[in-house]
Amino acid sequence: MVPDNTAPAWASDAFVQLLELERQATHILQNQPLFLPGLLQTEEYAAAMLAAFSDSFVHDKVALRMRRAAGFRERLDGEQPPGLTVVVDESVLRRRVGDEAVMDKQLGHLLETSGRYPTVRIFVAMLDRGAHAGLAGPTEIIERDGVMAAAFFEAPDGDRIATDQRVLASCRARIDSLIGSARVVELSEQTLSRR
């Protein structure tokens, strides 16, 4: 999804591998209990979020994230758009990242994206429904033609890629059960109005 294949020196090997996996993905499933996934972030949201994490390479990291998101949008506009299924915790939508204008633009971007692209589905795990399996941590599953190829785990102590089918099946079952539960609703103006 990032047009050039040059990886910055600060990018983890797992993240570089993720970029290639995403280019080949026919479906991506994400669970994000902490912040909005990079593929759905606006530039302002990404800058505010990354500035909170680190003081090094923020500008370069934002630029990479925006190229990645732009590449994904190009695929969404193509003849065979990939699927994207995302579950975010409601706290992610309620937590202000940047100022109100940044959040308003970001939340508008989510609604616009889910409304414009039929292969993009965004779900919200509601706070008033209690704890859920998605709180175990952020996960991204990459599928190619209905087959799980890998899972990406982002963590402060280092990113990692898993390809073991048992791990992938466990991650997929967790996301599927979360989406199928009464705790999760599809993103709408009504869910956003709760913030």
Side-chain angles (χ1 to χ4, degrees):
M1 285 180 211
V2 179
D4 60 49
N5 288 330
T6 15
W10 44 261
S12 70
D13 291 342
F15 185 77
V16 172
Q17 192 176 351
L18 172 69
L19 296 177
E20 184 56 34
L21 287 164
E22 286 179 341
R23 278 196 259 305
Q24 302 166 11
T26 54
H27 194 182
I28 298 172
L29 295 102
Q30 296 182 325
N31 170 59
Q32 186 47 265
L34 304 174
F35 51 86
L36 290 168
L39 292 175
L40 297 174
Q41 292 177 2
T42 62
E43 185 171 357
E44 296 83 359
Y45 181 97
M49 181 57 70
L50 289 169
F53 289 165
S54 127
D55 56 6
S56 58
F57 303 109
V58 170
H59 177 76
D60 295 335
K61 289 177 181 179
V62 170
L64 176 61
R65 209 166 271 212
M66 293 302 98
R67 286 196 314 270
R68 175 182 169 213
F72 188 71
R73 276 192 310 278
E74 282 179 26
R75 291 192 62 210
L76 288 174
D77 285 324
E79 289 183 23
Q80 294 184 314
L84 176 64
T85 303
V86 176
V87 180
V88 295
D89 193 79
E90 184 183 359
S91 63
V92 169
L93 302 176
R94 294 175 61 114
R95 180 177 298 110
R96 195 186 75 195
V97 174
D99 59 23
E100 279 301 311
V102 169
M103 283 307 293
D104 287 346
K105 182 176 180 181
Q106 176 61 70
L107 297 176
H109 175 69
L110 290 179
L111 282 174
E112 190 272 329
T113 300
S114 65
R116 178 176 175 185
Y117 300 108
T119 61
V120 174
R121 297 186 70 199
I122 304 170
F123 295 91
V124 181
M126 305 306 288
L127 286 171
D128 61 1
R129 309 253 172 92
H132 56 82
L135 295 173
T139 307
E140 179 171 341
I141 300 170
I142 306 296
E143 291 184 348
R144 275 185 252 149
D145 301 319
V147 177
M148 291 181 291
F152 175 77
F153 303 94
E154 184 176 15
D157 60 344
D159 304 334
R160 73 181 178 95
I161 294 276
T163 56
D164 180 280
Q165 287 300 308
R166 289 172 299 183
V167 172
L168 299 180
S170 173
C171 292
R172 178 64 194 255
R174 189 167 50 246
I175 292 174
D176 286 345
S177 72
L178 193 54
I179 291 170
S181 76
R183 292 182 176 89
V184 174
V185 298
E186 198 142 8
L187 180 75
S188 66
E189 287 189 37
Q190 185 178 359
T191 44
L192 292 183
S193 70
R194 292 169 52 111
R195 73 180 197 99

